[in-house]
Amino acid sequence: MTSRWSTRHDREPVDVPSADEPERRHEALVGVRLTAATPGSHLLEYLRTEPCAVAAWWIAADLDAVVRLSADSLSKLHRAVADLRR
């Protein structure tokens, strides 16, 4: 997000998104580790129904995936993270 800052002392500093920028959102990157009994297809099916899910990446490491969540309120984001944990 870019912001416009006034640099002159006779103007009040502003940190306002321009008209073409979306409103501020709360975001989180969540590491996911699947159990041995949970196939990756279950995670994909869940993410397709989760409105806060923006993107996901499979990881070749201790984690199985990283999921990017985005919501317009912090309470929605917390709920999405908690749902992903289940």
Side-chain angles (χ1 to χ4, degrees):
M1 176 186 300
T2 59
S3 300
R4 295 182 313 249
W5 284 90
S6 172
T7 57
R8 292 186 45 165
H9 296 292
D10 59 344
R11 295 188 204 156
E12 183 178 330
V14 291
D15 183 15
V16 180
S18 64
D20 59 332
E21 287 186 78
E23 65 183 50
R24 291 180 190 231
R25 298 186 60 86
H26 302 276
E27 295 191 338
L29 289 175
V30 181
V32 177
R33 186 174 300 150
L34 301 173
T35 66
T38 306
S41 60
H42 285 185
L43 176 62
L44 291 176
E45 289 171 20
Y46 171 75
L47 292 176
R48 287 186 182 115
T49 64
E50 173 54 57
C52 293
V54 175
W57 299 268
W58 293 112
I59 304 294
D62 292 336
L63 295 174
D64 294 309
V66 173
V67 177
R68 180 178 164 213
L69 301 173
S70 180
D72 58 0
S73 75
L74 199 52
S75 61
K76 286 181 185 179
L77 183 63
H78 281 240
R79 186 172 57 242
V81 171
D83 289 348
L84 190 56
R85 286 182 179 157
R86 294 187 282 142

